[in-house]
Amino acid sequence: MISRLQSHLFEYFSFLSGKKLLLAVSGGIDSMVLADLFRKLPFEIALAHCNFKLRNDESDEDQNFVESYAKQNHILLFVSQFDTATFASDYKLSIQVAARKLRYNWFYELLESEKYDYLLTAHHADDVIETFLINLSRGTGLDGLTGIPQQNDKIVRPLLPFSRAELTEYADKNKIQWREDSSNASDKYLRNKIRHQMVPVLKEINPNFLDSFQNTLDYLQQSQSMADDAARIVYRKVVTDDENLKIINLAELLQLPNYPAYLYYWLQPFGFSAWQDIYSLVNAESGKNVFSDNYKLSKDRENLILSQLSEEKAREEFRINVDTAEVNFPLNLSFCKVNDISDPSNTTIFVDAEKLQYPLVLRKWHDDDVFQPFGMNGQSKKVGKHLKDEKLSLPKKEKIWVLASGKIIVWIIGVRQDERFKITTTTKNILQIKLFQ
């Protein structure tokens, strides 16, 4: 097996030569075989063990076992203990998802802090089958059926060509000791149910199932590669990258015979899951949105616009006192008493200072905001409706701030002044307010 591994490493992972490698070792048979193999190969290695504190004394015994192995073989070992159950409860995650987040966050921290180049895990061919069946049972796209990648960034999986049976045979032949996780025997978890009940039946039906499955994966990966190429070519025709926005031209998109597939491909990396809502957004009225945790997809006339959710609080407010002459955040504004007015514009307004109630408030506009547009003789209008009539795009509308006196809007900044603060023949104190772009 070691000669096969060397050939595999030479063909696919030659870049590992001379690098510092961190091996994820739980104490189970797979990771102990990984540790034994790389201990015998000319690599600089260290071990990383996670104690998730989920199986009472068993978890501590696993840690003790790995510590003993590392000491006997003079291998550097890093250990971290996690209160996984509390973390899962606090963040409303399943135990499996919580453990995965904790594990990989720590691994990446170790790589960075201890100057290791790559993390190696002991995933093997049977893991690929189980992951395939899990994704298939839950419903997935082509990307969910193409197997576990051999490399993800700094995560490398060198044992994927080997079956669980081959690892077990190697462990027996080389008298490798390991710890058996008692939870592996329980069918409470979906992966175990697939491992114990489905895969054995498939292997019974076809003794060469692993080889046949690998052929299927190869075909799926080729199809995925073709789909990737097509999506990239179409992307250049349909999508425009504008600063931090992605603008999807609907006229171009709807010419595609299977546009939902392209939307899925382009948007899936941004954490969206409500795909039917996204597909419906194409024909929705302007202003409709679909959200992921960190992104928003908006319908804006003839486009879909992808933008990152601002970390800024929507209701955040900034106070401006009577003696303030200049504001530099979040906008650049100046306040200056003048004796007369010049030509007002979208970026410079003149107001009756005695009508202002301090402190003034600088904030983002709200859906329920109403103002009286300058020159419209006291007629009220919703700010949102005015911005729509001005034909501002959704991203531009989201960047609009208002200046308010009490609850009354003085200025939709850069757009329109309010009628109620205009200069009249009785005005004694004129305040010029200017926006510097």
Side-chain angles (χ1 to χ4, degrees):
M1 181 175 175
I2 196 164
S3 61
R4 281 182 58 202
L5 176 61
Q6 285 178 303
S7 298
H8 180 61
L9 293 175
F10 179 79
E11 183 175 358
Y12 294 101
F13 302 111
S14 59
F15 59 84
L16 293 180
S17 179
K19 302 298 184 182
K20 291 179 64 178
L21 307 180
L22 193 62
L23 278 58
V25 175
S26 66
I29 185 171
D30 305 338
S31 63
M32 295 311 298
V33 168
L34 176 72
D36 186 80
L37 287 166
F38 275 82
R39 180 175 64 85
K40 296 173 180 175
L41 293 171
F43 290 103
E44 181 181 354
I45 66 169
L47 310 182
H49 175 77
C50 301
N51 184 342
F52 295 108
K53 293 290 184 179
L54 292 172
R55 293 177 290 116
N56 301 318
D57 292 342
E58 275 191 53
S59 294
D60 294 332
E61 289 167 4
D62 289 348
Q63 178 180 326
N64 293 337
F65 171 77
V66 175
E67 287 174 339
S68 177
Y69 174 86
K71 183 177 181 180
Q72 289 173 11
N73 291 280
H74 309 288
I75 304 173
L76 181 62
L77 170 68
F78 301 95
V79 175
S80 185
Q81 297 184 353
F82 303 104
D83 186 353
T84 311
T86 299
F87 181 83
S89 175
D90 289 347
Y91 289 91
K92 295 180 173 55
L93 302 171
S94 70
I95 290 294
Q96 291 84 0
V97 171
R100 178 179 174 80
K101 283 183 176 292
L102 290 168
R103 177 167 67 245
Y104 280 100
N105 285 345
W106 180 58
F107 286 157
Y108 273 104
E109 289 172 6
L110 266 183
L111 289 172
E112 181 71 22
S113 64
E114 302 299 328
K115 309 302 181 187
Y116 281 84
D117 298 298
Y118 295 97
L119 174 83
L120 273 56
T121 71
H123 292 91
H124 50 73
D126 288 74
D127 290 321
V128 177
I129 295 173
E130 293 161 12
T131 300
F132 176 95
L133 293 172
I134 287 171
N135 291 341
L136 182 66
S137 68
R138 290 173 174 167
T140 184
L142 184 58
D143 57 328
L145 301 177
T146 52
I148 302 172
Q150 291 193 109
Q151 181 184 0
N152 258 353
D153 190 22
K154 293 188 176 184
I155 310 297
V156 175
R157 304 175 179 91
L159 300 186
L160 288 182
F162 303 96
S163 67
R164 180 177 285 113
E166 288 175 305
L167 299 187
T168 302
E169 181 183 354
Y170 177 87
D172 291 341
K173 186 178 295 185
N174 291 272
K175 296 181 171 51
I176 296 173
Q177 294 182 319
W178 71 86
R179 294 271 304 168
E180 191 63 53
D181 185 338
S182 61
S183 66
N184 286 338
S186 170
D187 284 351
K188 181 174 76 171
Y189 302 115
L190 176 59
R191 181 175 291 274
N192 287 352
K193 188 173 292 187
I194 288 172
R195 178 181 302 167
H196 299 150
Q197 299 181 22
M198 292 183 65
V199 174
V201 174
L202 292 170
K203 290 181 177 179
E204 181 182 345
I205 293 171
N206 179 7
N208 296 317
F209 175 71
L210 268 178
D211 292 336
S212 300
F213 179 76
Q214 186 56 55
N215 289 335
T216 299
L217 275 187
D218 290 342
Y219 298 143
L220 288 171
Q221 287 165 358
Q222 291 171 21
S223 299
Q224 179 71 65
S225 179
M226 290 172 58
D228 291 345
D229 291 342
R232 281 191 288 268
I233 292 170
V234 174
Y235 181 93
R236 290 194 289 268
K237 181 179 180 182
V238 176
V239 185
T240 301
D241 291 308
D242 182 11
E243 294 183 351
N244 296 321
L245 306 176
K246 293 186 183 298
I247 302 172
I248 302 172
N249 185 300
L250 287 175
E252 295 284 355
L253 180 73
L254 293 174
Q255 291 182 27
L256 303 173
N258 189 21
Y259 71 82
Y262 289 97
L263 285 177
Y264 177 87
Y265 184 95
W266 296 330
L267 298 174
Q268 188 269 339
F270 298 98
F272 289 97
S273 58
W275 295 108
Q276 197 53 56
D277 291 342
I278 286 176
Y279 305 148
S280 298
L281 198 62
V282 170
N283 297 308
E285 62 184 40
S286 185
K288 295 292 185 181
N289 304 297
V290 178
F291 295 89
S292 68
D293 288 341
N294 298 307
Y295 291 87
K296 176 175 69 172
L297 186 67
S298 306
K299 172 69 179 292
D300 182 27
R301 297 186 178 85
E302 305 305 321
N303 301 299
L304 296 181
I305 299 177
L306 176 70
S307 58
Q308 189 166 10
L309 293 176
S310 174
E311 295 179 359
E312 175 187 81
K313 297 177 182 177
R315 296 276 172 175
E316 190 170 15
E317 297 180 347
F318 299 88
R319 305 285 173 171
I320 298 173
N321 296 318
V322 66
D323 56 352
T324 298
E326 189 175 285
V327 171
N328 296 312
F329 182 85
L331 301 176
N332 293 317
L333 297 173
S334 68
F335 299 82
C336 178
K337 291 284 184 68
V338 294
N339 294 322
D340 52 34
I341 65 174
S342 55
D343 292 333
S345 67
N346 287 343
T347 58
T348 303
I349 66 169
F350 299 87
V351 300
D352 189 329
E354 294 182 1
K355 295 179 180 177
L356 297 174
Q357 176 185 330
Y358 286 92
L360 303 178
V361 175
L362 180 61
R363 61 171 174 80
K364 285 292 187 70
W365 70 279
H366 305 154
D367 288 337
D368 55 356
D369 279 337
V370 175
F371 84 126
Q372 293 181 13
F374 186 87
M376 290 186 62
N377 299 319
Q379 298 180 37
S380 294
K381 189 177 185 181
K382 278 204 164 188
V383 170
K385 177 66 165 61
H386 186 78
L387 297 178
K388 182 178 180 180
D389 291 345
E390 292 288 316
K391 301 191 183 304
L392 269 66
S393 66
L394 284 176
K396 287 184 178 179
K397 281 195 274 188
E398 290 174 356
K399 294 179 181 178
I400 294 296
W401 292 76
V402 297
L403 184 67
S405 171
K407 295 184 178 181
I408 303 175
I409 289 176
V410 178
W411 187 21
I412 305 176
I413 298 175
V415 180
R416 191 77 167 261
Q417 179 182 342
D418 189 285
E419 173 82 9
R420 286 165 287 188
F421 297 90
K422 70 179 182 180
I423 305 302
T424 68
T425 55
T426 61
T427 297
K428 297 179 180 178
N429 295 309
I430 302 173
L431 180 66
Q432 173 189 280
I433 308 175
K434 187 170 185 177
L435 169 68
F436 293 92
Q437 300 285 7

